[in-house]
């Protein structure tokens, strides 16, 4: 079984945002019917990223934003500045974290660890909507 859809995420402020429930909601019955499989997520942007990290303590998300801002400071010197001072650092952060994930599916659920959640890492101050291509492959209960 193969299933593919595109999830459009609403605009969010700069920072790390849990999107696990939105992904599960987009997959709906397709996910619930999958006994064994793999979900691939691909973010179609170069100034945001996706990651898996702690889903419980919101301070982790704030701390990760702080860490990323220390690793990739907003003040250059950068050559690519046409889209604002946050654009080139956003590209660098996206390259460091990445734009794709693969997550196992088991018995109709994402096989994430107890404290794991899927993050949209928004690196721009004034971002647009973000799109993620979700590709689910696996065996269903009826296969």
């Amino acid at each position: 079984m193969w299933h593919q859809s595109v999830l459009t995420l609403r605009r969010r402020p700069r920072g790390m945002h849990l999107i696990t429930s939105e992904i599960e909601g987009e997959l709906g019955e397709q996910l619930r019917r999958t006994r064994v499989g793999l979900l691939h997520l691909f973010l179609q942007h170069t100034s945001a990223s996706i990651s898996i990290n702690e889903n419980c303590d919101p301070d982790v998300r704030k701390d990760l934003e702080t860490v990323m801002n220390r690793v990739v400071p907003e003040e250059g010197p950068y050559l690519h500045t046409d889209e604002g001072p946050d654009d080139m650092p956003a590209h660098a952060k996206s390259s460091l974290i990445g734009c794709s994930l693969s997550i196992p599916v088991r018995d109709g659920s994402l096989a994430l660890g107890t404290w794991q959640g899927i993050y949209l890492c928004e690196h721009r101050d004034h971002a647009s909507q973000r799109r993620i291509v979700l590709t689910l492959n696996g065996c269903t209960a009826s296969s």
Side-chain angles (χ1 to χ4, degrees), residues 14 69 72-78 84-89 93 123 125:
R14 183 185 215 163
N69 290 332
V72 183
E74 196 160 302
E75 52 285 336
Y78 301 115
D86 66 334
D87 190 45
M88 188 56 224
K93 292 173 187 177
H123 306 304
D125 291 326

Side-chain angles (χ1 to χ4, degrees), residues 40-77:
H40 182 263
L41 305 174
F42 179 74
L43 180 68
Q44 296 181 303
H45 301 276
T46 61
S47 58
S49 54
I50 53 177
S51 181
I52 294 175
N53 217 303
E54 182 174 321
N55 65 1
C56 185
D57 185 353
D59 286 343
V60 171
R61 296 190 295 274
K62 293 174 190 167
D63 287 343
L64 284 172
E65 174 67 14
T66 299
V67 167
M68 289 308 297
N69 290 332
R70 286 186 184 154
V71 171
V72 183
E74 196 160 302
E75 52 285 336

Side-chain angles (χ1 to χ4, degrees), residues 23 27 37-41 101-105 110 134-137:
I23 290 167
L27 294 168
L38 191 64
L39 173 64
H40 182 263
L41 305 174
L101 296 172
S102 292
I103 302 168
V105 175
L110 300 178
L134 291 72
T135 305
L136 177 61
N137 176 264

Side-chain angles (χ1 to χ4, degrees), residues 85-126:
D86 66 334
D87 190 45
M88 188 56 224
H91 293 311
K93 292 173 187 177
S94 176
S95 289
L96 289 171
I97 296 174
C99 64
S100 67
L101 296 172
S102 292
I103 302 168
V105 175
R106 183 174 184 200
D107 295 327
S109 298
L110 300 178
L112 294 167
T114 302
W115 306 112
Q116 289 183 318
I118 303 166
Y119 284 19
L120 170 70
C121 308
E122 181 53 69
H123 306 304
R124 296 296 309 268
D125 291 326
H126 305 288

